[in-house]
Amino acid sequence: MTQRDDDDGGAGARAQAPHGRRRGRWLRRLMWLPVVLVAGSVLQVLALRVIDPPFSMFMAIRQIEARMAGEDDFTVYYQWRDLDRIAPALAVSVIAAEDQNFARHRGFDLDAIEQARAHNARGGATRGASTISQQTAKNLFLWGGRSWLRKGMEAWYTLLIEWLWPKTRILEVYVNVAEFGDGVYGAQAAARRYFGKDADALTAAESARLAAVLPSPRRYNAARPGPYVQRRAQWIQRNARQIGGDAYLESLR
């Protein structure tokens, strides 16, 4: 009886051993997963410092949404343009409209965040405080929404691009992947679509109108501006002059 019990115990231990080894392998793989994800994101951002992105995550998601909705004629308009082939007025207008502290902050504008928090606490229209760096991270790598996961990944990618890219590269990528209308991404596509010209020929007024639609590009149209876009474009032009106009771009180099 004792010998048989010993044999049964030995067989059970041998049966459990492979299961324990498999579980150990999976645990080791899970422990390595954060390292792989961090290393992958760093390499991704490093590569895009010198490689112009052929598309953004926002473009891919919008394309999928259109297909699922049966919009078979939907087209993404996107054509990369280096920053020196885009009118300086557009770059300055985007900064004046979206992130006037762009040259000074390191990805997050704490003063703007506090001002937005105080404004939102008083009620009324919600005000955001995303910097151009944050918006670049979101548009290029992520998806829309307000989940904690997405916000956490946005913060991580924002830190990476601020660490690994110069300010001029961040601005260059942003004006190329920002959505200026439904399916219209980047300065060159927007200039051709709305004004029938290349991005380097945009005037200050046209640039301000393009920057004015950025908060809601599928709601507003730069070619047919309503009262809101007209007022906002005028405000953007005033702000662009106040921050130094085209000379502001020299502070980024």
Side-chain angles (χ1 to χ4, degrees):
M1 176 65 72
T2 301
Q3 181 63 45
R4 187 164 58 249
D5 290 344
D6 289 345
D7 291 344
D8 290 345
R14 287 192 297 273
Q16 291 176 6
H19 175 72
R21 286 196 295 270
R22 284 195 298 270
R23 184 171 61 183
R25 284 197 298 269
W26 277 109
L27 287 174
R28 286 192 293 274
R29 290 171 183 172
L30 287 174
M31 291 173 63
W32 275 101
L33 182 60
V35 177
V36 172
L37 292 176
V38 168
S41 61
V42 171
L43 290 175
Q44 185 183 26
V45 173
L46 268 176
L48 291 177
R49 174 175 174 145
V50 294
I51 300 172
D52 300 331
F55 68 95
S56 71
M57 187 59 69
F58 265 39
M59 295 178 206
I61 291 172
R62 182 65 187 97
Q63 190 81 55
I64 294 170
E65 289 175 347
R67 293 292 178 262
M68 293 179 65
E71 302 172 25
D72 296 331
D73 59 345
F74 177 81
T75 302
V76 167
Y77 296 93
Y78 170 65
Q79 183 180 350
W80 178 271
R81 274 245 164 166
D82 291 344
L83 192 60
D84 60 6
R85 297 181 62 208
I86 295 172
L90 178 61
V92 175
S93 292
V94 167
I95 293 169
E98 301 281 287
D99 186 3
Q100 295 179 36
N101 292 323
F102 178 63
R104 295 190 295 273
H105 67 64
R106 298 305 301 169
F108 307 94
D109 189 339
L110 300 182
D111 290 338
I113 291 171
E114 178 56 30
Q115 291 172 12
R117 187 201 63 77
H119 170 85
N120 296 337
R122 292 193 296 268
T126 301
R127 177 187 297 176
S130 291
T131 63
I132 285 175
S133 303
Q134 289 175 271
Q135 293 178 60
T136 302
K138 179 180 69 175
N139 291 358
L140 187 58
F141 300 111
L142 304 171
W143 62 94
R146 297 180 177 277
S147 70
W148 286 107
L149 173 62
R150 208 274 297 160
K151 293 298 289 185
M153 293 181 67
E154 177 188 306
W156 169 244
Y157 273 108
T158 298
L159 291 172
L160 284 183
I161 65 175
E162 280 281 348
W163 178 39
L164 298 173
W165 295 358
K167 286 285 188 178
T168 50
R169 180 58 172 175
I170 297 173
L171 181 61
E172 181 177 56
V173 172
Y174 180 65
V175 297
N176 272 285
V177 302
E179 185 179 24
F180 290 97
D182 192 14
V184 182
Y185 296 89
Q188 175 65 7
R192 297 301 309 172
R193 182 83 167 165
Y194 299 123
F195 302 113
K197 59 176 67 174
D198 288 330
D200 58 358
L202 288 168
T203 66
E206 291 164 346
S207 297
R209 281 158 61 182
L210 285 174
V213 307
L214 285 175
S216 300
R218 299 184 195 179
R219 178 179 178 183
Y220 302 115
N221 189 305
R224 298 187 298 276
Y228 167 79
V229 171
Q230 292 179 28
R231 289 194 304 272
R232 182 166 170 79
Q234 292 170 0
W235 175 82
I236 289 169
Q237 285 190 271
R238 289 195 300 271
N239 280 355
R241 290 192 293 270
Q242 289 173 1
I243 66 175
D246 295 358
Y248 180 93
L249 299 179
E250 294 302 317
S251 67
L252 304 179
R253 302 183 187 281

